[in-house]
Amino acid sequence: MTTITETTLTRDNILRLFPDVAASAQTERPSAQDAQLFDGYDEEQVRLMEEVCIVLDWNDIPCGSASKKTCHLMSNINNGLLHRAFSVFLFNDENKLLLQQRADEKITFPGMWTNTCCSHPLAIPSEIGYDLPTSIMGVKRAAQRKLDQELGIPSDHVPLDKFHFLTRIHYKAPSDGVWGEHEIDYILFIKSTPTVKPNPNEVKDAKYVTAKELREMFEDKELTFTPWFKLICETYLFDWWGNMDEVTSFRETDIRRML
């Protein structure tokens, strides 16, 4: 396992260590190994693993692209492969947070409760971004896209200018022996009361909760939660949530390392 540091996560090292990472966006061809790797998984979720993620260096600078599959294999993660992600926290007019339970069909972290929407900007011009302002705009566009795809929330119910970027979190977490996450995760808050029509291939359940109700959920031993959501809840969420009228005051440009 490679020790993940600023000196190891450079563009040159990434391109040398990971031949599946392209210096520019391209689609990987499915291999015979993929057939074995994805045996028994849902066909639509397997197709989504072909999406092209943004590969990063230590400082959140894009240095190439690779499939969602490549980015989420623990064999690559343990050698330092890092990609960009986002986590949306949507609150209604009562300041209740919309949670989703990931569908059992999901390849990573199936059946777990998590924040409103968590996914990846794609390595395409409208979402990639090369500095913090353009990267924030890229993840906002990706958030609109995924809120529609996962929860059936129309884009006009979540306008780009209503998303508030708070911070970036660098974390790593296994899902099982094969899959996991290693991300720089952009945290987005938004207040809206949209129509919600969950896609059953993505979302098993969805509900609004108060802060008290969420704490009670964490005490229920029968429920499981995604590692990034637990990490954010255990550190920052409840402080942010308790100061919703001034939430933009928590915005920061530094990356919070939680490795």
Side-chain angles (χ1 to χ4, degrees), residues 55-172:
V55 174
L56 305 171
D57 70 6
W58 178 264
N59 295 309
D60 191 29
I61 304 300
C63 56
S65 64
S67 70
K68 188 176 173 184
K69 177 206 76 174
T70 295
C71 290
H72 290 82
L73 284 170
M74 281 306 301
S75 56
N76 292 330
I77 290 169
N78 286 334
N79 284 319
L81 190 60
L82 174 67
H83 63 278
R84 185 175 290 162
F86 65 84
S87 287
V88 174
F89 293 77
L90 185 149
F91 299 85
N92 66 11
D93 53 11
E94 299 178 74
N95 275 350
K96 291 184 177 182
L97 173 62
L98 180 61
L99 302 183
Q100 67 156 279
Q101 184 182 20
R102 292 165 66 87
D104 293 333
E105 289 85 354
K106 299 288 282 187
I107 293 173
T108 58
F109 308 101
M112 294 188 181
W113 284 95
T114 194
N115 50 288
T116 312
C117 180
C118 15
S119 190
H120 314 90
L122 302 179
I124 57 177
S126 61
E127 295 185 10
I128 190 166
Y130 288 94
D131 56 19
L132 187 56
T134 57
S135 297
I136 291 171
M137 182 54 68
V139 298
K140 288 180 178 182
R141 292 188 181 115
Q144 261 193 347
R145 172 175 57 80
K146 290 300 290 186
L147 283 165
D148 184 14
Q149 191 255 328
E150 292 188 1
L151 290 160
I153 296 176
S155 60
D156 60 345
H157 290 199
V158 282
L160 294 177
D161 61 355
K162 297 300 183 183
F163 286 99
H164 297 293
F165 164 77
L166 295 188
T167 190
R168 292 171 288 176
I169 292 173
H170 180 184
Y171 79 96
K172 182 172 76 167

Side-chain angles (χ1 to χ4, degrees), residues 14 25 53 132 182 209 244:
I14 290 165
C53 294
L132 187 56
H182 183 208
V209 296
M244 285 294 293

Side-chain angles (χ1 to χ4, degrees), residues 37-38 40-50 68-69 72-73 102-111 175-176 178-180 201-202:
L37 188 65
F38 292 123
Y41 283 113
D42 176 79
E43 182 177 346
E44 173 63 11
Q45 291 299 319
V46 171
R47 185 190 67 79
L48 291 172
M49 293 297 270
E50 298 174 6
K68 188 176 173 184
K69 177 206 76 174
H72 290 82
L73 284 170
R102 292 165 66 87
D104 293 333
E105 289 85 354
K106 299 288 282 187
I107 293 173
T108 58
F109 308 101
S175 176
D176 55 24
V178 177
W179 306 103
N201 190 256
E202 292 284 340

